[in-house]
């Protein structure tokens, strides 16, 4: 397996040219297109992705260790089949619509200005995670751990407090009414 360290990749289109499988450490990827690319078994350690498109990329067994995504499109990405060992990711200004984080441990992760519409957050451990200005319209929260998580500035979530762990999580008005959706009541 090839090892690459400290390289800046700019404007690469991996939909037309092959992506070299291997380990990438301290690399930056700017304006790269990984849409539909097979990233099976690739390991990214302390890498930064800016303005990249990962829509529907295949990431079975892919390692994301201390990875930062900024202004990236990750629509339909299935992180749940990635390598969970030492997984740590942070997202800023990213589109994560239809993304699956099923059963992952993403403690203390940061999501800033992200769109998580219809994302699958089932059984994900987001203990002490921070969600700043995130949109959770139709996102699935089921047996999700949100203890000490901060959702104060996030919107459109529907979280059942009886099916999710929300002890000491932070919410704010008016979005906190999303904790009452299951009761089908009218709040005026």
């Amino acid at each position: 397996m090839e090892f690459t360290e400290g390289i800046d990749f700019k404007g690469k289109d991996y939909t037309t040219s092959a992506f070299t499988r291997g380990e990438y450490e301290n690399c930056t990827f700017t304006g790269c297109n990984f849409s539909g690319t097979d990233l099976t078994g690739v390991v990214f350690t302390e890498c930064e992705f800016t303005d990249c498109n990962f829509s529907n990329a295949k990431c079975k067994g892919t390692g994301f260790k201390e990875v930062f995504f900024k202004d990236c499109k990750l629509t339909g990405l299935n992180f749940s089949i990635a390598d969970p060992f030492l997984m740590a990711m942070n997202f800023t200004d990213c589109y994560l619509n239809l993304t699956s984080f099923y059963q992952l441990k993403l403690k203390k992760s940061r999501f800033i200005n992200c769109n998580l519409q219809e994302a699958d957050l089932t059984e994900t451990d987001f203990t002490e995670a921070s969600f700043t200005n995130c949109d959770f319209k139709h996102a699935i929260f089921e047996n999700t751990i949100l203890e000490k998580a901060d959702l104060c500035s996030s919107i459109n979530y529907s979280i059942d407090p009886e099916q999710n762990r929300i002890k000491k999580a932070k919410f704010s008005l008016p979005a906190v009414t999303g904790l009452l959706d299951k009761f089908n009541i009218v709040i005026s």
Side-chain angles (χ1 to χ4, degrees):
M1 193 186 265
E2 194 168 317
F3 180 77
T4 306
E5 183 177 12
I7 302 293
D8 295 330
F9 298 89
K10 293 185 179 170
K12 300 284 186 184
D13 187 351
Y14 297 112
T15 64
T16 58
S17 62
F19 181 76
T20 305
R21 289 189 188 178
E23 293 186 36
Y24 293 82
E25 188 171 314
N26 289 315
C27 293
T28 60
F29 297 83
T30 306
C32 296
N33 186 2
F34 294 91
S35 182
T37 302
D38 186 354
L39 300 172
T40 301
V42 174
V43 177
F44 297 106
T45 304
E46 296 179 11
C47 291
E48 292 185 26
F49 297 90
T50 304
D51 193 28
C52 293
N53 182 358
F54 281 90
S55 296
N56 298 311
K58 296 162 187 66
C59 58
K60 185 175 183 177
T62 306
F64 294 100
K65 303 171 184 183
E66 295 297 329
V67 174
F68 294 87
F69 295 95
K70 181 173 176 27
D71 295 314
C72 291
K73 185 176 179 183
L74 302 126
T75 304
L77 203 62
N78 187 357
F79 283 115
S80 70
I81 61 171
D83 183 359
F85 182 69
L86 297 176
M87 181 182 277
M89 301 180 290
N90 292 290
F91 304 87
T92 301
D93 299 314
C94 291
Y95 286 94
L96 295 153
N97 298 3
L98 300 166
T99 299
S100 176
F101 294 100
Y102 178 69
Q103 290 188 330
L104 294 178
K105 290 185 187 332
L106 293 172
K107 295 178 179 184
K108 298 184 180 181
S109 290
R110 282 195 197 78
F111 294 78
I112 301 169
N113 301 322
C114 291
N115 192 327
L116 290 132
Q117 292 185 14
E118 299 183 63
D120 184 358
L121 311 171
T122 304
E123 297 180 25
T124 307
D125 186 348
F126 286 119
T127 301
E128 294 185 66
S130 176
F131 298 95
T132 306
N133 297 320
C134 293
D135 186 350
F136 288 102
K137 187 173 186 178
H138 301 299
I140 302 166
F141 290 91
E142 193 172 297
N143 297 317
T144 306
I145 302 170
L146 294 163
E147 292 179 353
K148 298 181 183 176
D150 187 346
L151 289 93
C152 283
S153 58
S154 291
I155 60 170
N156 295 326
Y157 50 79
S158 179
I159 302 170
D160 182 347
E162 294 176 343
Q163 289 189 1
N164 298 280
R165 291 173 37 193
I166 62 170
K167 187 176 181 179
K168 296 193 178 183
K170 298 174 187 171
F171 302 96
S172 64
L173 291 170
V176 72
T177 58
L179 300 177
L180 302 173
D181 286 347
K182 83 172 221 166
F183 299 111
N184 198 22
I185 58 176
V186 178
I187 301 169
S188 56

